[in-house]
Amino acid sequence: MDSIWTKTFTIRKRASLKGDIRTDVAVIGGGMTGILTAWQLKQAGVRAVVLEADRIGGGQTGNTTAKITSQHGMFCHTFIENKGEETARKYVQANQAAVEEYKRIIRERGISCDLRECDSYVYSADGDTLAKEVEAARKLGVDAVLENQISLPVACAGAVCFHGQAEFHPLKFIGALAEELEIYENTPVKEVEEHLVKTPGGSVRADKIVFAVHFPFVNFPGMYFARMHQERSYVLALENAGTIDGLYIGEGEDVLSFRQYKQYLLLGGQAHRTGENREGGRYDKLKEAAGKMYPESRIAACWSAQDCMTTDCVPFIGPYAADRPDWYVATGFCKWGMSSAMVSAMMLKDMICGITNPYTEVFAPSRFSGEEIPQLLEDTGKSVKGLTKRFFHMPQETVDELPRGHGGVIDTPQGKTGVYKTEDGQLFQVDIVCPHMGCELTWNPDERSWDCPCHGSRFDYKGNRIDGPAEEGIALESSLE
Ligand SMILES: Cc1cc2nc3c(=O)[nH]c(=O)nc-3n(C[C@H](O)[C@H](O)[C@H](O)COP(=O)(O)OP(=O)(O)OC[C@H]3O[C@@H](n4cnc5c(N)ncnc54)[C@H](O)[C@@H]3O)c2cc1C
């Protein structure tokens, strides 16, 4: 399903890499992170080449809601509790600096990307939490304000407001920056060996390598698969829902997100761990919420995306692993990837240029503290469950019982297999073992995809890869009438 961004803008196509080249920095991945990192490096006089598996902006960046904000939910008081005041202050400062950097680049370059400066709000039904959050935000140097009323049809006690935030059209923005960069599209990186990056059509030898691929696909070293999981959520673009002025997000269970883009009100929600698909009907539930809040509205577009969630809600930005000093990574943005991508680009540019950056320790991928352990164990538990459950899990459906337009796992004499029956009765049978680390895939009825509950890789019903960390698709065993 196309997002409002892909429906309204197309980025110019680039050729794929053919032959072997040499550069200062190879940036793998052409989403917001990769494009910004290459662009910041270019400003510093460093030659950076972007290698994109598909089309730039075609990953999560093309399916975001594109709020540019340092207000990452109701986070200030919990960050102070978990990380201490100094680290929490640096986290906010780094992200607000990123917001300002977007505004500066767009203003100075005259980029036409529908930038709107606005305030950001996190609302809650709990007045005590709101008061605590305002106090914490002020401690961190944010000029936060408590608003008793907000212009949304939601029940709440008020909201915490951060001034000076922004929203834009993400593809128009990276499309403009990309004009200044050396980019190869349809160039999937298959292997990285020290300073050599290998793609099907050629290779890049680089002094430094940046993994800006959303979820790092090199498992060892780094072990990012054991330190993050992915979470999906869904978005509706509503027409005739009135207009709102600002960025809004709720707090607690069933969080909703709101922003305006031109005549469309973008409503997001229904978050869940990728691969946990038992419930389904997520678009329906979001549509139901939209119908209650905005009965006159019409749906102009709907789409979904996913992001990598770290155990301490702080991204991993910096050296990939201790024994790969020239590899860098930026991942784990916890659904705040616009500001985090800019933080990444500014930090990685400094690191690569040998400039001291004040935020290095806050985002260091090497960090590991006691507070992460319970979550880490929970995530690892899910991975183990995913890796083993196909030996115990009982089948839910048989092919004959499978209704048209539905998919599911079925038992065959040879073992389990995944089947999807199209609306006109055609069957697509796939191997449901994830090629990334062998977890059993689950059927996502909302997106008609096979999703991995361990690390979030996704595949369409014909087996083609949609999202990593898996690098390959799954085998289509047969397609039958
Ligand atoms: C529903 C939803 C709404 C969101 N809304 C917001 C928001 O309002 N504000 C905000 O701050 N954040 C938001 N986020 C988060 C934000 O969208 C993401 O964090 C951000 O887009 C990630 O950008 P990226 O460049 O890291 O990843 P991507 O955009 O996914 O880019 C990674 C690129 O790497 C490429 N790639 C992968 N593997 C390879 C390989 N082997 N070789 C070459 N290329 C490769 C991919 O094709 C892809 O193009 C939202 C997330 C979700 C799920």
Side-chain angles (χ1 to χ4, degrees):
M1 288 184 235
D2 292 334
S3 72
I4 204 71
W5 319 121
T6 48
K7 276 174 184 271
T8 52
F9 189 74
T10 306
I11 298 177
R12 180 171 72 80
K13 281 190 184 159
R14 311 302 169 95
S16 58
L17 180 68
K18 298 222 165 32
D20 302 327
I21 60 171
R22 169 95 188 71
T23 185
D24 296 337
V25 181
V27 177
I28 310 173
M32 188 62 75
T33 312
I35 296 296
L36 283 175
T37 303
W39 189 86
Q40 290 284 359
L41 286 166
K42 187 170 184 210
Q43 305 315 299
V46 177
R47 183 182 169 203
V49 167
V50 178
L51 305 168
E52 165 54 47
D54 194 345
R55 299 289 323 279
I56 57 169
Q60 308 313 321
T61 297
N63 294 303
T64 180
T65 46
K67 299 171 173 174
I68 310 172
T69 179
S70 59
Q71 188 182 46
H72 294 180
M74 196 76 80
F75 74 109
C76 293
H77 65 277
T78 46
F79 264 42
I80 292 177
E81 278 163 29
N82 294 338
K83 295 269 174 191
E85 203 172 308
E86 186 54 24
T87 301
R89 183 175 297 110
K90 283 187 174 170
Y91 180 84
V92 181
Q93 279 173 353
N95 280 285
Q96 189 56 36
V99 175
E100 301 307 327
E101 180 71 350
Y102 273 110
K103 295 182 201 166
R104 182 189 73 79
I105 295 171
I106 292 167
R107 190 178 57 242
E108 288 181 6
R109 285 286 201 275
I111 297 173
S112 171
C113 59
D114 307 320
L115 177 79
R116 246 172 33 115
E117 294 193 30
C118 55
D119 292 338
S120 168
Y121 303 85
V122 56
Y123 64 85
S124 172
D126 181 346
D128 292 343
T129 303
L130 290 168
K132 204 163 137 189
E133 180 68 2
V134 170
E135 194 190 327
R138 288 190 181 150
K139 245 189 219 169
L140 302 182
V142 180
D143 183 20
V145 180
L146 182 58
E147 300 283 356
N148 294 321
Q149 281 197 325
I150 56 168
S151 56
L152 289 183
V154 293
C156 69
V160 180
C161 171
F162 279 23
H163 298 301
Q165 311 303 306
E167 59 189 13
F168 69 164
H169 190 308
L171 298 186
K172 288 186 182 177
F173 174 73
I174 61 168
L177 292 193
E179 288 302 320
E180 301 180 37
L181 300 174
E182 184 175 350
I183 296 171
Y184 298 95
E185 288 186 324
N186 294 308
T187 301
V189 171
K190 295 292 181 192
E191 207 184 330
V192 185
E193 262 175 23
E194 302 289 342
H195 292 269
L196 189 65
V197 180
K198 297 180 184 173
T199 81
S203 70
V204 180
R205 184 164 290 282
D207 297 334
K208 312 273 180 190
I209 295 161
V210 174
F211 289 77
V213 291
H214 181 64
F215 197 126
F217 58 87
V218 173
N219 292 328
F220 304 100
M223 289 183 62
Y224 290 94
F225 66 86
R227 305 204 257 161
M228 302 191 297
H229 69 273
Q230 298 207 57
E231 208 174 278
R232 248 189 125 64
S233 38
Y234 300 77
V235 186
L236 304 179
L238 302 173
E239 278 179 310
N240 208 31
T243 53
I244 56 166
D245 190 16
L247 316 173
Y248 294 86
I249 193 154
E251 185 255 354
E253 295 286 299
D254 291 331
V255 163
L256 290 174
S257 153
F258 302 76
R259 71 156 278 195
Q260 195 74 32
Y261 174 65
K262 297 195 169 170
Q263 72 269 37
Y264 308 107
L265 192 149
L266 309 188
L267 175 68
Q270 288 295 319
H272 65 95
R273 183 179 173 123
T274 304
E276 288 195 343
N277 291 323
R278 253 157 303 156
E279 275 188 32
R282 275 157 174 134
Y283 283 118
D284 292 340
K285 287 179 194 150
L286 201 53
K287 284 174 189 170
E288 198 182 312
K292 281 188 190 146
M293 289 186 288
Y294 305 105
E296 305 296 315
S297 65
R298 287 183 304 274
I299 295 164
C302 47
W303 68 93
S304 67
Q306 63 189 31
D307 212 357
C308 302
M309 315 300 285
T310 61
T311 52
D312 64 353
C313 305
V314 175
F316 294 125
I317 306 169
Y320 198 96
D323 58 354
R324 294 288 187 284
D326 295 321
W327 290 14
Y328 297 86
V329 68
T331 187
F333 295 162
C334 302
K335 300 196 194 167
W336 298 108
M338 297 297 105
S339 64
S340 304
M342 187 66 91
V343 171
S344 305
M346 294 162 84
M347 283 180 58
L348 296 181
K349 183 261 292 169
D350 282 353
M351 287 179 195
I352 288 169
C353 294
I355 299 166
T356 306
N357 185 288
Y359 308 121
T360 314
E361 275 182 29
V362 178
F363 298 94
S366 58
R367 73 182 181 274
F368 191 80
S369 65
E371 126 232 348
E372 291 181 54
I373 290 171
Q375 182 62 45
L376 189 62
L377 289 177
E378 195 181 304
D379 282 351
T380 312
K382 285 217 167 59
S383 291
V384 171
K385 188 174 121 202
L387 283 161
T388 57
K389 80 174 183 183
R390 61 203 173 95
F391 300 112
F392 306 112
H393 186 68
M394 293 300 288
Q396 303 287 311
E397 295 132 328
T398 66
V399 168
D400 290 344
E401 289 166 345
L402 195 66
R404 292 177 177 224
H406 284 67
V409 177
I410 63 158
D411 236 353
T412 71
Q414 297 78 37
K416 284 184 184 180
T417 188
V419 177
Y420 168 64
K421 194 183 273 182
T422 61
E423 299 292 352
D424 56 7
Q426 203 180 352
L427 282 176
F428 288 88
Q429 189 183 340
V430 294
D431 176 5
I432 48 161
V433 177
C434 181
H436 175 231
M437 296 194 80
C439 299
E440 183 182 307
L441 304 173
T442 65
W443 177 247
N444 178 342
D446 295 301
E447 296 297 340
R448 299 186 179 192
S449 60
W450 292 102
D451 300 353
C452 175
C454 298
H455 311 108
S457 299
R458 297 178 60 243
F459 310 86
D460 70 16
Y461 65 81
K462 293 180 180 170
N464 301 307
R465 174 194 176 279
I466 307 173
D467 288 311
E471 291 183 83
E472 309 295 337
I474 47 176
L476 176 65
E477 292 181 355
S478 63
S479 138
L480 313 159
E481 289 292 343

